[in-house]
Amino acid sequence: MNILIIGLGSIAKKHIKAIRALNIEASIYALRSSLLSGTYKGVTNVLSIEDIQVKPNFIIISNPTHLHEQAILESLKLECPLFIEKPVLSNIKNALKIIDLVADKKIMTYVACNMRFHPGINYIKGYIESNRLEINEVNIYCGSNLPDWRPGTDYRKSYSANEDMGGGVHLDLIHELDYCVWLFGIPLKVESVKRKVSTLKINAIDYANFTLSYEKFTVNIILNYYRIDPRREIELVCSNDTIVVNLLKNRIHSTVSGKVIYEEPFYMSDTLESQIKYFIDQIETKQEPENNLEKGVAVLKIALHE
């Protein structure tokens, strides 16, 4: 198997680790910006798509978000499946044009939102469907401290902290919006508040609050970059119970009975391995991935509230 990676940053290296953990025999190439770019064990650097002597089985697009559009358009020359790191784009200006180009060439696409492979989210999805829960309200919270994300680096120089590079908590943590749409569908109405006023002193949005209106309930989503004690939860306020999904501990419990509904050991790296395996399976069986380019753009529109 031949794999081309565009953007060899921290998330790309996690994808490489996931590929190797699955014991896939793969030749991995990385498209680099110059001869001075560093090397990574087992990865062959190339300076242009034309330098690749073999056709990739798929391409991983994992460069900074503001460069995704260019990378997607360039990748279409090779006419192979695209694995696009979230968020799919930094804006929707040319989104419809890109969707049409991809469709015309019949290119398989997948927008990488690995939280769809979180066992707690998968469990609660099945639990909601099988128990026909009468939901009155959903509260989703994801807060962590951006300076702790990439140890040994200046967080203020990362793409996350810079709006012109496609950074901002509403895009970085688009996972919460994505799995919300996966669980409940596209909302009837979206309202949002986005601010950059925290003590982090960055020029990207560091707080976002979304209100998604559905026919029978409302979902509130809070995202931030500055919480010292990380918290990532889903709270389902139902007619006869309140159920809390702790995504960091992979634990689900009822606050009414105190009963633990589900709990299993969990490593976030497992979601990346499951995601890569899923994508490769879709390629081999020639089935369109569930979260394709068009669906990724639909979630992006909610994040940008456009």
Side-chain angles (χ1 to χ4, degrees), residues 59-74:
I59 298 173
I60 295 176
I61 296 175
S62 54
N63 52 357
T65 307
H66 72 294
L67 299 175
H68 279 195
E69 180 176 328
Q70 177 186 342
I72 293 170
L73 294 175
E74 188 74 9

Side-chain angles (χ1 to χ4, degrees), residues 121-133:
I121 293 177
N122 276 270
Y123 187 92
I124 202 64
K125 189 177 194 298
Y127 189 86
I128 291 169
E129 292 169 356
S130 62
N131 289 276
R132 298 183 181 180
L133 297 183

Side-chain angles (χ1 to χ4, degrees), residues 10 15 22-23 68 102 137 164 178 212 250 274 282-283:
S10 60
H15 291 316
L22 293 171
N23 294 316
H68 279 195
V102 167
E137 174 186 314
D164 58 353
D178 177 76
L212 310 185
N250 195 31
S274 297
Q282 299 304 102
I283 293 173

Side-chain angles (χ1 to χ4, degrees), residues 131-164:
N131 289 276
R132 298 183 181 180
L133 297 183
E134 294 182 324
I135 299 172
N136 289 318
E137 174 186 314
V138 179
N139 298 301
I140 295 174
Y141 186 98
C142 184
S144 59
N145 192 37
L146 181 59
D148 295 335
W149 283 23
R150 304 172 181 93
T153 64
D154 185 345
Y155 73 90
R156 291 164 294 189
K157 295 179 180 179
S158 69
Y159 82 88
S160 299
N162 290 279
E163 193 169 57
D164 58 353

Side-chain angles (χ1 to χ4, degrees), residues 31-223:
L31 184 62
R32 311 311 303 276
S33 58
S34 76
L35 290 170
L36 300 177
S37 299
T39 59
Y40 191 67
K41 186 177 180 180
V43 177
T44 302
N45 284 354
V46 295
L47 295 179
S48 73
I49 280 182
E50 287 73 21
D51 290 341
I52 301 170
Q53 301 301 311
V54 294
K55 182 175 180 177
N57 291 85
F58 65 90
I59 298 173
I60 295 176
I61 296 175
S62 54
N63 52 357
T65 307
H66 72 294
L67 299 175
H68 279 195
E69 180 176 328
Q70 177 186 342
I72 293 170
L73 294 175
E74 188 74 9
S75 298
L76 292 181
K77 297 176 184 177
L78 295 178
E79 298 188 354
C80 59
L82 303 180
F83 178 104
I84 308 165
E85 184 56 41
K86 61 79 194 167
V88 61
L89 298 165
S90 59
N91 61 71
I92 59 171
K93 181 180 178 182
N94 297 315
L96 292 179
K97 174 186 174 183
I98 295 170
I99 289 171
D100 287 342
L101 287 171
V102 167
D104 287 344
K105 288 183 173 288
K106 297 181 180 179
I107 302 296
M108 178 184 290
T109 58
Y110 170 73
V111 180
C113 288
N114 62 297
M115 291 299 285
R116 290 187 179 217
F117 297 87
H118 189 295
I121 293 177
N122 276 270
Y123 187 92
I124 202 64
K125 189 177 194 298
Y127 189 86
I128 291 169
E129 292 169 356
S130 62
N131 289 276
R132 298 183 181 180
L133 297 183
E134 294 182 324
I135 299 172
N136 289 318
E137 174 186 314
V138 179
N139 298 301
I140 295 174
Y141 186 98
C142 184
S144 59
N145 192 37
L146 181 59
D148 295 335
W149 283 23
R150 304 172 181 93
T153 64
D154 185 345
Y155 73 90
R156 291 164 294 189
K157 295 179 180 179
S158 69
Y159 82 88
S160 299
N162 290 279
E163 193 169 57
D164 58 353
M165 295 176 69
V169 74
H170 61 309
L171 297 177
D172 244 351
L173 299 180
I174 201 171
H175 289 293
E176 290 7 77
L177 289 166
D178 177 76
Y179 71 65
C180 178
V181 169
W182 187 48
L183 291 174
F184 307 117
I186 296 291
L188 302 173
K189 181 182 177 183
V190 177
E191 298 173 271
S192 68
V193 174
K194 304 186 189 82
R195 307 190 72 191
K196 37 188 172 182
V197 295
S198 77
T199 52
L200 293 177
K201 294 181 172 61
I202 59 176
N203 72 3
I205 290 166
D206 52 29
Y207 170 87
N209 188 328
F210 294 89
T211 301
L212 310 185
S213 298
Y214 290 86
E215 183 180 357
K216 295 183 178 180
F217 58 88
T218 301
V219 178
N220 303 292
I221 302 175
I222 293 178
L223 312 171

Side-chain angles (χ1 to χ4, degrees), residues 8-24:
L8 193 56
S10 60
I11 187 60
K13 291 172 183 175
K14 289 179 181 178
H15 291 316
I16 292 170
K17 185 177 179 180
I19 291 166
R20 290 172 175 165
L22 293 171
N23 294 316
I24 297 170

